[in-house]
Amino acid sequence: MLSHANLAALVASLALWSRPAYRALALGAQEVTVLDMASVQATLAAGGVYRPPTAITRITTTSGETLYERPRRATRVLDQRLALQVTAALREVVRRGTGVRADPRRPVAGKTGTTQDSADAWFAGYTPDMAAAVWMGFHGGRVPMTPPRTRITVEGGTWPAETFSRLAIAALEDVPAGAFTVTVADVQGHAAAAAERQLTRAGFDVTIRERY
């Protein structure tokens, strides 16, 4: 059985989320941001490797000189096998569950969410190449998204899922569809120390059993 403290610790590791944990956390009684949710999806998409969200990856001059490049930081926070098991479960949400409208015609996993009275509606998901979270609601407070205020009763599997699908199709238009697998760098022939550094930077836990 997973206690609220252990659950909070797991969530914190997936998105470096550091807030007080309440016992009703598992019931959705604690707020998260859209960025929190997107970051968790990205961690799962990367096979359990967390990378800090960033708005700027590189700054260059008109001549091509690089003035700034985002540091490549990666931390393994979830076992690869567990991350892939979670992905397998979340793929079924889009295949035949509440998230069927999120399908971008490529491998995808995700989860819908709807609060009471349809005041908030979510879809958070990912493909092997993209992660995103969609929230819909009124910033003025808990306002039900039901007719006649909205054309339909808005739930996570309706407009948020459709929005995710349209975003993924547009964003990945020129990206070949990939599969949910973990890619490991080829370190064959490298010295043990160099290979360990390269794999560790990529977010893998490395254990060297024999040195040659």
Side-chain angles (χ1 to χ4, degrees):
M1 186 173 180
L2 194 62
S3 70
H4 77 286
N6 289 338
L7 178 60
L10 175 60
V11 173
S13 70
L14 290 175
L16 293 191
W17 183 74
S18 55
R19 299 188 183 95
Y22 302 118
R23 294 187 182 277
L25 174 64
L27 301 177
Q30 200 154 352
E31 293 184 353
V32 294
T33 69
V34 180
L35 182 60
D36 288 334
M37 295 301 295
S39 184
V40 170
Q41 310 310 305
T43 300
L44 291 171
V49 176
Y50 170 81
R51 294 179 176 85
T54 183
I56 300 173
T57 58
R58 183 167 51 183
I59 300 174
T60 60
T61 64
T62 54
S63 61
E65 178 187 359
T66 299
L67 301 177
Y68 166 82
E69 188 163 5
R70 178 191 63 183
R72 294 183 177 273
R73 292 183 293 162
T75 306
R76 173 158 296 285
V77 297
L78 199 63
D79 181 81
Q80 294 180 50
R81 290 169 297 179
L82 180 57
L84 289 174
Q85 288 171 357
V86 173
T87 294
L90 294 181
R91 291 190 69 180
E92 294 302 309
V93 175
V94 182
R95 279 177 176 162
R96 52 187 175 181
T98 56
V100 291
R101 297 185 187 182
D103 187 1
R105 302 193 292 273
R106 63 175 60 220
V108 61
K111 185 69 179 74
T112 62
T114 310
T115 60
Q116 291 179 337
D117 302 323
S118 292
D120 301 273
W122 293 79
F123 184 85
Y126 54 99
T127 75
D129 304 291
M130 187 200 87
V134 178
W135 169 83
M136 290 189 179
F138 289 91
H139 285 286
R142 291 186 52 80
V143 179
M145 293 182 289
T146 54
R149 185 174 290 108
T150 51
R151 181 169 54 82
I152 62 171
T153 296
V154 181
E155 298 176 337
T158 59
W159 292 348
E162 292 171 6
T163 300
F164 176 90
S165 175
R166 294 184 183 187
L167 170 65
I169 290 172
L172 302 175
E173 181 178 7
D174 299 321
V175 179
F180 283 111
T181 57
V182 178
T183 302
V184 180
D186 183 4
V187 295
Q188 186 175 357
H190 293 202
E196 182 179 10
R197 284 195 301 271
Q198 184 174 350
L199 292 172
T200 300
R201 282 198 301 268
F204 293 97
D205 296 324
V206 180
T207 301
I208 299 178
R209 300 190 182 278
E210 295 185 37
R211 294 179 182 266
Y212 296 93

